[in-house]
Amino acid sequence: MRSISIFGATGSIGVNTVDLIARQGGAEAYRTVALTGGRNIARLAEQARALRAEVAVTSEDDLYAELKDALAGSGIAVAAGRAALLEAADRPADWTMSAIVGAAGLAPGFRALRHGGTLALANKESLVAAGPLLMAEAARHGATILPVDSEHSAVFQALVGEDMAAVERIIITASGGPFRDWPLARLAAATVAEARAHPNWSMGLRISIDSASMFNKALELIETREYFGVDPARIEAVVHPQSIVHALVGFSDGGLMAHMGPADMRHAIGYALNWPGRREVPVARLDLAAIAQLTFEAPDEVRFPALALARAVMRTRGLSGAAFNAAKETALDAFLEGRLGFLAMAEVTQDTLARLGGALTSDPDSLDCVLDMDHLARRTAREIIAARG
Ligand code: NDP
Ligand code: MG
């Protein structure tokens, strides 16, 4: 029986993962080792009971008693806190979903690679902040990392049976988000409610805002560079409002392989779960005649400066991805709390990178080194935000 663990089970990706596993036989077909969540104890307990998990872990120390009560009499072990998340990752599983949001997902993902199994990677922050280390850690332990981000799953699928030497370019698409047509002046005053209303995808709060600001696409450009090992000059983002084509791979003979599918993360999660095979996934089937038109346009890097910042990070590499992600997360916190304007998120991120300057160019030799930069960049970004008043 295949064993699985899900980190971030209670989130948007996590719930879809649990749903697919339940449809593929649930506890009868899989041995669930660990399920982890954050504050949503009721959902975590329900999932742990349904999949008969060995251990359920909340990242929040203060919620230990609540989780213990919720799972009383179930025989499921309960733990809480950051150390407990790492201990859960130390329990071997054949397949692990990494779907914690943000830099908090780095350490558990790294630990899970030690078993040499498969890591389904939704947590793109891992590749942005620590791409070379993560890929090296996987290689050292004979582990497989499979992309779950829809664009990267699409590229991965378009590359099956292909020779990387023949790849000329990789194009990932962006819906353009809810603000695709908004002028700069209106963007400056955009609210959280407006920014979270994604036109095509249903996702967690943070990634929805990152989609509106194109920070998500910026992270994904870096993710593409790190996962596929392609020169940044060969990686493009194109705005495609219908979100039907998720990515394209261009080959040296002029051919372009496009991956199309509905805007439903269960496709990419299902692919990672069943790879190298495929199984039925209950997503809508595309009606191409009803869709009628697929359109593409160049992204506007003036209104969406995150993309240019990503280009700079891809040139510098070293610790710049860790700083970029941490500054972005800090600016996003401030935007969510109403302390920072929508466009100011990119300004704060840019100023943080500028202030850290030379410290960003060295290559980290350990995850601790990356996490130190993460903390330094958060502190720097907070100072920059405070100084703006
Ligand atoms: P959600 O916010 O919906 O879920 C995040 C999960 O992480 C929840 O289980 C949450 O627990 C848990 N969590 C939050 N903070 C912490 C913490 N500090 N320590 C440990 N666990 C924590 O996010 P998404 O599911 O949208 O995204 C998850 C990851 O997948 C992100 O990296 C995102 O970029 C990526 N991704 C998401 C896509 C999507 O469609 N949603 C598409 C492509 C990539 P709780 O809710 O219980 O507090
Ligand atoms: Mg994506």
Side-chain angles (χ1 to χ4, degrees):
M1 208 191 240
R2 204 165 169 220
S3 57
I4 59 139
S5 285
I6 305 173
F7 288 79
T10 52
S12 167
I13 293 286
V15 165
N16 279 319
T17 307
V18 170
D19 173 60
L20 283 180
I21 286 170
R23 287 170 189 272
Q24 292 191 181
E28 310 303 322
Y30 295 88
R31 182 167 71 81
T32 298
V33 178
L35 295 183
T36 88
R39 304 212 68 85
N40 195 339
I41 298 302
R43 182 174 286 164
L44 179 60
E46 183 194 323
Q47 292 174 326
R49 282 182 191 271
L51 292 182
R52 286 184 234 133
E54 289 169 15
V55 60
V57 183
T58 163
S59 56
E60 310 302 306
D61 290 294
D62 58 318
L63 296 178
Y64 174 77
E66 196 180 316
L67 183 58
K68 202 167 164 43
D69 284 352
L71 285 172
S74 67
I76 297 167
V78 167
R82 286 161 60 93
L85 281 181
L86 296 182
E87 281 162 25
D90 284 341
R91 294 176 176 237
D94 300 324
W95 187 91
T96 301
M97 168 56 81
S98 167
I100 289 174
V101 65
L106 260 68
F110 263 82
R111 286 283 267 265
L113 288 173
R114 290 186 189 170
H115 313 305
T118 298
L119 186 71
L121 190 66
N123 182 270
K124 62 190 87 183
E125 296 88 344
S126 297
L127 280 167
V128 171
L133 286 174
L134 191 81
M135 299 307 280
E137 187 75 356
R140 182 157 47 244
H141 298 289
T144 303
I145 299 179
L146 295 175
V148 172
D149 213 346
S150 56
E151 298 77 3
H152 305 76
S153 173
V155 172
F156 188 95
Q157 294 181 49
L159 283 171
V160 169
E162 301 288 354
D163 179 358
M164 279 307 286
V167 172
E168 239 173 33
R169 57 182 179 149
I170 294 179
I171 305 169
I172 59 172
T173 64
S175 70
F179 301 154
R180 187 168 60 89
D181 303 321
W182 284 33
L184 262 180
R186 195 171 166 209
L187 277 180
T191 65
V192 172
E194 288 165 333
R196 73 182 302 174
H198 198 281
N200 304 341
W201 293 90
S202 156
M203 306 183 286
L205 171 65
R206 299 182 71 91
I207 185 174
S208 296
I209 310 273
D210 283 349
S211 296
S213 62
M214 289 259 201
F215 262 111
N216 182 48
K217 213 46 57 180
L219 296 173
E220 291 180 356
L221 286 171
I222 304 167
E223 185 185 7
T224 304
R225 192 259 167 277
E226 298 299 342
Y227 184 80
F228 296 104
V230 172
D231 187 290
R234 296 175 181 274
I235 304 170
E236 302 162 37
V238 67
V239 174
H240 167 49
Q242 296 84 17
S243 296
I244 300 292
V245 177
H246 302 306
L248 308 94
V249 178
F251 295 96
S252 52
D253 57 3
L256 268 179
M257 291 294 288
H259 174 284
M260 306 209 276
D264 186 327
M265 285 308 296
R266 288 178 300 176
H267 165 70
I269 297 167
Y271 185 80
L273 181 61
N274 297 308
W275 178 85
R278 291 183 187 265
R279 284 179 69 167
E280 192 189 336
V281 172
V283 297
R285 298 326 194 226
L286 293 180
D287 179 344
L288 291 176
I291 295 162
Q293 281 195 20
L294 302 178
T295 62
F296 301 91
E297 59 196 71
D300 180 345
E301 296 200 3
V302 174
R303 287 185 304 126
F304 298 102
L307 297 174
L309 291 176
R311 293 267 167 218
V313 168
M314 288 196 285
R315 275 193 302 275
T316 311
R317 293 183 86 196
L319 285 161
S320 65
F324 175 73
N325 181 62
K328 185 278 296 179
E329 287 191 22
T330 307
L332 175 57
D333 288 337
F335 174 67
L336 289 171
E337 290 161 17
R339 293 185 286 115
L340 199 64
F342 183 76
L343 290 175
M345 287 192 284
E347 292 163 17
V348 167
T349 305
Q350 181 165 22
D351 291 353
T352 304
L353 292 175
R355 196 180 292 183
L356 293 172
L360 301 177
T361 54
S362 57
D363 288 327
D365 52 17
S366 68
L367 183 60
D368 283 342
C369 199
V370 171
L371 296 176
D372 285 347
M373 175 50 76
D374 177 277
H375 293 141
L376 176 62
R378 279 173 207 271
R379 199 161 63 233
T380 306
R382 278 196 297 269
E383 284 166 16
I384 289 170
I385 293 167
R388 293 171 66 103

